[in-house]
Amino acid sequence: MTAPIYVLNGPNLNRLGTREPEIYGSTTLGEVEALCRTAAGDVPVEFRQSNREYEIVDWVHEAIDRPGAGIIINPAAFTFTSIAILDSLKMFPRPIIELHISNIHRREDIYHNSLVSKIATAVIAGLGPKGYGVAVRAMLDLVADAKRR
C-alpha cells in the first residue's frame, strides 16, 4: 500500500466558506478536501481538521508511526503559538509543507513569525484554497525525488 499524505488543518478552518470570505474566500473545507484528493490521484490522503492542539500533535505522531509519505499542515493560529506542534513536526523525518490560505506576511505583525516555518521543507502562502492543490502536487514531487535518491 502507498503511504498516505497527511493534510492537517488547525483551528477555525472548519469555518471556511463563511469565515472572513474577504481573506479566505468562499471555498468550504469539504471542497478543499475534494481538491486535495483529486490532486493526489491514486495516493491516499488523510485529511483532518481540529480546533484542538493535542489532536494535531497526535496526528503527527500517527504520521510518524504509520508512516506517512509527507505532511501538509495549515496550523492556522497554532502557527504562531504552538511549540507542541513544532516539537512533534521536528520528529517527522519526511517532507513537511506549511500552508496558509492568505499571505501571512502581508497581514498584521502578529502573523509574521511562524514557528512551523523554521522546520518546514517548504512554505506555501497566499494562493487561496487552490494552494492546497499546489501543495499536494509539490508533495508528490518531493516524495518521488526522495525515492530516487
Side-chain angles (χ1 to χ4, degrees):
M1 180 172 146
T2 303
I5 295 171
Y6 278 73
V7 181
L8 306 179
N9 295 280
N12 299 310
L13 290 168
N14 57 312
R15 307 294 293 176
L16 284 180
T18 58
R19 176 188 179 208
E20 298 176 279
E22 67 281 1
I23 296 173
Y24 301 105
S26 58
T27 304
T28 67
L29 191 62
E31 292 168 328
V32 168
E33 180 177 1
L35 187 152
C36 289
R37 292 188 187 286
T38 298
D42 293 335
V43 175
V45 173
E46 292 290 338
F47 190 93
R48 303 188 183 156
Q49 184 279 328
S50 182
N51 296 320
R52 296 174 187 90
E53 182 180 40
Y54 76 89
E55 281 189 314
I56 296 170
V57 169
D58 285 346
W59 293 334
V60 172
H61 292 175
E62 179 183 310
I64 294 165
D65 296 339
R66 189 167 179 186
I71 295 174
I72 298 167
I73 185 165
N74 183 343
F78 292 143
T79 303
F80 318 102
T81 63
S82 180
I83 293 171
I85 291 173
L86 170 66
D87 283 348
S88 68
L89 289 168
K90 285 167 57 177
M91 292 183 272
F92 186 74
R94 289 168 288 286
I96 298 168
I97 297 176
E98 177 184 359
L99 171 69
H100 297 284
I101 293 169
S102 68
N103 181 348
I104 60 174
H105 305 289
R106 290 187 67 190
R107 299 189 60 195
E108 300 88 346
D109 288 347
I110 195 170
Y111 298 113
H112 293 180
N113 185 27
S114 166
L115 297 174
V116 176
S117 291
K118 292 163 183 34
I119 56 89
T121 307
V123 178
I124 297 171
L127 297 178
K130 292 180 182 175
Y132 281 86
V134 171
V136 169
R137 289 187 294 279
M139 182 61 73
L140 293 172
D141 288 345
L142 289 169
V143 169
D145 289 349
K147 286 181 182 176
R148 284 193 280 271
R149 291 186 201 141

